[in-house]
Amino acid sequence: MGLGFTDGLILPRTSQPQIETPQNSYGLSIRQMAALGLSDDSIARPLEANEELITAKACYSSDKVHENTRVTPRMGAGTGAAPGQAPPDLPSLLLDGRICYIGMPLVPAVTELVISELLWLNYSAPEKPVYVYLNSIGSQGPDGQAVGFETEAYAILDTLAYIRPEIHTLVVGQAYGNAAMILASGKKGSRFSLPNARIMTAPPRMNRSFGSVSNMMIKANELEYNTQSYVDFLAQYTGREKEQVRKDIGRNRYFTPPQAIEYGLIDRIVQPEDAVAIEEKNYELLLQQANAQQKGQQRVPAGASAEGGY
């Protein structure tokens, strides 16, 4: 007969089609599966996902390790958070202590974060001071090349002058260029330095560029404007004459903390034996109060008002 047909062969009829079982699964032979303690049912059966086990909370506050979770770390005693809660990030803890830490060069991303923190601190408690910690090289790298715009520091200075809280500044490690200007902008009597910190004043610089004479003249005028603004700010904060300040910033000038006090950049050197006033907070109690308040709001009927009436 035709192709695919055989004389006298009758195929049996079944109600369900027969499917041949593969001899291996996921690249494992039958012997390998048996050695690992696996069976066909355990491999073919898909993993049953539980909605309660795949949430973010189950990864750090669950008492048992399930097949959907890898590690279950828990907060220990004395860490500042209740057991079972996610550890807070350090910038948030510093911000809660009204500390704004600048530990990177003044680039747009850093300026955006610093200004946002200052505005939030001004909104949360304008009667309390703001502590600005500095460990920055400003807008210039170690080789004297500009890594950011000079206007980044001016934006921070304008924000410091705009907000209502008092500004306390402290240099930790180094404050170079525009960072030294921010250091000197603190409230008189509240500008501090650690004993081994280094402070340097440096004039604004522009990286080497090429172009037409007109464009070079525009950049030169902008550089002169930034230099004059730098001189004006330093003269205002240090109490020195502008002519003297402009002469002093002609080249990089380094200051030790005692020299910075004499020049007017800082007011005091913080010694290790000095007592530091830190506002202590019980974060576990605050968390319990917040949870209790949230549960109380959920129990209020939909038609009830804040005073308890309907």
Side-chain angles (χ1 to χ4, degrees):
M1 297 181 67
L3 182 65
F5 295 90
T6 305
D7 295 336
L9 179 61
I10 301 176
L11 298 177
R13 294 184 178 180
T14 58
S15 60
Q16 295 181 354
Q18 297 180 357
I19 301 177
E20 183 180 358
T21 304
Q23 299 299 324
N24 53 65
S25 298
Y26 300 102
L28 300 177
S29 64
I30 298 179
R31 291 185 177 181
Q32 292 173 340
M33 293 165 54
L36 295 176
L38 301 177
S39 61
D40 295 341
D41 296 337
S42 62
I43 294 180
R45 180 176 56 87
L47 181 64
E48 297 180 0
N50 190 346
E51 183 179 358
E52 298 180 355
L53 302 180
I54 61 177
T55 59
K57 184 179 180 180
C59 294
Y60 57 83
S61 61
S62 178
D63 293 331
K64 299 180 181 180
V65 180
H66 303 278
E67 54 190 358
N68 299 93
T69 60
R70 295 175 296 178
V71 185
T72 56
R74 299 178 64 86
M75 296 293 294
T79 56
Q85 299 296 326
D89 57 299
L90 293 180
S92 298
L93 290 178
L94 293 177
L95 188 63
D96 189 64
R98 304 189 64 80
I99 296 176
C100 180
Y101 179 67
I102 305 177
M104 296 182 65
L106 299 181
V107 295
V110 176
T111 304
E112 179 184 2
L113 177 61
V114 171
I115 292 179
S116 301
E117 292 179 348
L118 293 176
L119 294 177
W120 164 251
L121 294 175
N122 177 61
Y123 167 78
S124 61
E127 70 281 355
K128 296 183 180 180
V130 174
Y131 305 93
V132 179
Y133 285 23
L134 291 159
N135 184 21
S136 174
I137 59 175
S139 58
Q140 299 179 17
D143 55 352
Q145 296 293 320
V147 296
F149 298 104
E150 303 293 334
T151 53
E152 304 297 335
Y154 303 153
I156 296 177
L157 288 177
D158 290 341
T159 306
L160 291 175
Y162 167 75
I163 62 178
R164 287 175 287 176
E166 296 180 353
I167 307 300
H168 298 191
T169 56
L170 171 68
V171 54
V172 181
Q174 60 185 358
Y176 291 171
N178 288 335
M181 181 175 57
I182 297 177
L183 172 65
S185 66
K187 178 186 176 182
K188 293 295 181 63
S190 301
R191 303 173 300 179
F192 305 96
S193 171
L194 293 184
N196 298 314
R198 296 287 288 177
I199 304 171
M200 181 191 70
T201 57
R205 291 186 174 92
M206 179 180 61
N207 295 337
R208 180 179 298 180
S209 59
F210 303 91
S212 61
V213 177
S214 301
N215 291 338
M216 293 300 101
M217 183 60 66
I218 294 174
K219 293 183 179 181
N221 293 336
E222 182 65 17
L223 179 62
E224 175 62 23
Y225 174 79
N226 290 331
T227 303
Q228 187 60 41
S229 299
Y230 187 75
V231 171
D232 294 341
F233 279 121
L234 281 183
Q236 175 184 353
Y237 300 144
T238 60
R240 294 179 176 268
E241 298 293 334
K242 295 183 180 180
E243 293 76 9
Q244 180 184 359
V245 173
R246 190 175 186 90
K247 181 180 179 181
D248 294 338
I249 69 168
R251 293 181 178 273
N252 294 351
R253 182 174 179 179
Y254 292 86
F255 297 86
T256 61
Q259 294 173 348
I261 293 178
E262 182 180 358
Y263 196 82
L265 295 174
I266 61 175
D267 303 305
R268 180 185 169 189
I269 302 174
V270 179
Q271 300 296 338
E273 61 271 11
D274 294 343
V276 180
I278 300 178
E279 184 179 357
E280 185 177 358
K281 294 186 178 181
N282 190 340
Y283 293 98
E284 184 174 356
L285 180 60
L286 294 176
L287 181 62
Q288 294 176 358
Q289 293 176 355
N291 293 336
Q293 182 178 4
Q294 184 178 4
K295 292 180 180 179
Q297 294 177 355
Q298 293 177 355
R299 294 175 182 175
V300 176
S305 62
E307 290 76 9
Y310 289 89

